[in-house]
Amino acid sequence: MRELMDSYDVVVVGAGPGGSMSAYASAKNGAKTLLIEKSQEIGEPVRCAEAIPSLDDFGIKPSPEFVRNEIKGGFLFAPNGKRVTVTQGKATGYVVERKIFDKFLAIRAAKKGAKIAIKSRVVGLEEEGDGWNVIVKHLDEEYAVKTKIVIAADGVESNVAEYAGLKAKKNPLDICSCAEYEMTNVELLDKNMMEFYFGNDIAPGGYLWIFPKGDTANVGLGVRGSKKKAIDYLNEFLENGLAKDRLKNATPVEFKVGGAPVGGPIEKTYDDGILVVGDAAGQISPLTGGGIYLAMDCGLIAGEVAGKAIKNNDWSEKVLSEYERRWKEKHYECLMSHLKYRKILEKMSDDELNALAEALGDNLDDIDLKKFVKRILTKKPSLIKYFKDLI
């Protein structure tokens, strides 16, 4: 492959939303950029519920090409069926078709000058001078691609960050095991509202979702530390769960599995000539498992920092530390707050989750965690043991 025989300023590994945004920003800022993707088709396989709170923040107009539905809020269900309606704020957004959206982002990067190598797996990194040889396997051939900066956006496995000497391996107990059907003939409560189901028998250590997607809906869940497989919990919900009557005629058109690293960000996301982005960096909400927006935003920052470093002919650890400073200023406090709340929820019994839902009431205008706590402690003081450290 011609792209693998050249040398580059920046090599981005992984053409998910984080990687493509990195390549877009890097190329836009004048760096000669290569985006490497191990799959033969960008966007495949999908391992995600496909919801994103905003596209406008990235200058991307919502297009029917890849937007399948506009979301105006969500219904939260306690184990006993108590429903809390959330509207506005971060509960709004879009459900996209990742197979098309991811390819759109990669094409967007290519239009800025990034080259793309598909069906190409990075199997190693070798230091050479003040840069890297990126060892790539493509169709049983190995290539050494020279570059100055590597952006590791290779997902939860994060092998590239490890090759560079950064500690990126996730604790297995912090990986949410996910299973999802895309289904048709789902009877929705509201075609513009997401549904979330909580309970230790429904999805221990996680939750179950139903996300409307036009003619179909994504019905899936994530579990942690469970005795059974994620797919077993999902099939049980379809047969006997709170929404069984609305799912009785539903039939799958696609099955998806994956892992979400919900243990918070890795300790360090940069070093000499290396930046780590998206799931590889643990830039995913520990509470919701949502990561598309975070990956895109952090990828944008990574690409900008890399492009500037190339212009200034300095890609040292000190210079690239700007990336971590910038993304942490925007997202770190929120990520760590979500981690605290996740740890609280997973300690609660189903009765306590029911009490929590009662305390929240029927309607919330936004997902404001501080407002949540005040309301909970006013109406259900018995739950104070969980929230006392957050007051």
Side-chain angles (χ1 to χ4, degrees):
M1 178 178 277
R2 181 164 49 90
E3 286 79 10
L4 298 178
M5 296 178 186
D6 208 345
S7 61
Y8 294 85
D9 296 322
V10 178
V11 168
V12 183
V13 185
S20 286
M21 288 298 282
S22 296
Y24 166 83
S26 171
K28 184 180 179 183
N29 281 276
K32 186 179 179 183
T33 303
L34 175 66
L35 177 61
I36 298 177
E37 169 56 40
K38 64 183 179 182
S39 297
Q40 64 187 34
E41 182 176 1
I42 292 171
E44 289 275 12
V46 177
R47 300 176 178 176
C48 162
E50 304 182 295
I52 182 170
S54 175
L55 293 170
D56 300 331
D57 289 357
F58 304 106
I60 297 173
K61 291 183 179 180
S63 165
E65 176 191 354
F66 50 78
V67 170
R68 289 294 171 262
N69 199 15
E70 184 175 358
I71 297 299
K72 298 180 178 178
F75 301 124
L76 313 180
F77 289 90
N80 64 1
K82 165 72 170 105
R83 184 170 88 183
V84 180
T85 302
V86 183
T87 55
Q88 301 180 14
K90 293 178 182 176
T92 63
Y94 306 94
V95 175
V96 297
E97 184 68 72
R98 281 287 303 274
K99 295 172 194 171
I100 299 173
F101 184 63
D102 284 21
K103 199 174 289 185
F104 164 83
L105 292 178
I107 292 169
R108 190 166 174 257
K111 286 181 177 178
K112 289 297 178 184
K115 298 297 182 183
I116 303 173
I118 54 173
K119 203 170 178 57
S120 301
R121 183 183 296 273
V122 173
V123 294
L125 280 184
E126 297 174 353
E127 290 187 66
E128 183 177 280
D130 61 350
W132 302 97
N133 280 331
V134 183
I135 311 304
V136 184
K137 196 165 189 178
H138 172 74
L139 299 178
D140 296 325
E141 295 279 344
E142 272 197 10
Y143 301 84
V145 181
K146 291 183 179 180
T147 189
K148 296 161 186 170
I149 299 173
V150 173
I151 298 179
D154 53 330
V156 63
E157 300 93 351
S158 35
N159 289 328
V160 171
E162 290 281 327
Y163 294 150
L166 289 172
K167 295 179 181 178
K169 289 298 181 189
K170 315 302 185 294
N171 184 333
L173 296 177
D174 285 330
I175 303 291
C176 211
S177 178
C178 304
E180 177 182 82
Y181 291 117
E182 183 175 347
M183 309 187 83
T184 190
N185 295 334
V186 175
E187 293 180 35
L188 300 165
L189 291 170
D190 186 310
K191 67 179 182 179
N192 299 112
M193 298 287 279
M194 300 180 289
E195 301 175 32
F196 302 86
Y197 296 82
F198 299 87
N200 293 299
D201 291 330
I202 296 171
Y207 64 89
L208 183 141
W209 62 82
I210 300 176
F211 287 1
K213 198 180 168 185
D215 290 337
T216 62
N218 286 333
V219 183
L221 52 68
V223 297
R224 287 177 50 256
S226 56
K227 297 176 182 177
K228 296 180 292 189
K229 294 178 181 177
I231 185 60
D232 295 331
Y233 285 103
L234 181 54
N235 287 334
E236 284 180 14
F237 185 85
L238 293 174
E239 292 293 325
N240 302 305
L242 290 169
K244 64 180 181 180
D245 291 339
R246 295 188 291 111
L247 294 168
K248 65 185 179 211
N249 295 319
T251 189
V253 294
E254 188 169 343
F255 176 57
K256 311 163 193 176
V257 294
V262 292
I266 64 175
E267 187 177 332
K268 189 179 179 187
T269 57
Y270 68 97
D271 207 334
D272 290 324
I274 180 83
L275 299 171
V276 192
V277 165
D279 283 8
Q283 293 162 338
I284 178 172
S285 167
L287 183 62
T288 68
I292 304 176
Y293 182 94
L294 280 163
M296 289 176 66
D297 200 40
C298 294
L300 197 60
I301 296 169
E304 288 172 356
V305 170
K308 187 165 76 171
I310 296 299
K311 279 181 183 175
N312 294 329
N313 200 36
D314 185 352
W315 42 93
S316 64
E317 177 183 8
K318 182 179 179 181
V319 167
L320 296 186
S321 68
E322 179 191 343
Y323 162 64
E324 184 162 296
R325 176 182 59 76
R326 284 176 59 186
W327 82 253
K328 280 192 170 182
E329 281 176 359
K330 292 185 74 172
H331 302 298
Y332 187 75
E333 186 178 342
C334 180
L335 286 173
M336 299 314 289
S337 174
H338 281 200
L339 183 59
K340 288 178 183 176
Y341 282 95
R342 190 211 85 194
K343 289 181 176 179
I344 288 171
L345 287 175
E346 67 189 20
K347 291 176 183 175
M348 288 187 170
S349 67
D350 280 3
D351 286 343
E352 288 170 325
L353 288 171
N354 292 332
L356 179 62
E358 288 295 331
L360 293 176
D362 294 333
N363 296 283
L364 295 167
D365 59 3
D366 197 358
I367 300 178
D368 186 318
L369 296 177
K370 290 181 180 178
K371 287 181 183 178
F372 272 17
V373 173
K374 286 182 181 178
R375 190 179 295 196
I376 291 161
L377 298 184
T378 300
K379 297 190 175 183
K380 293 291 180 181
S382 63
L383 298 177
I384 194 169
K385 62 184 178 182
Y386 293 112
F387 296 96
K388 60 184 178 181
D389 292 337
L390 302 176
I391 301 172

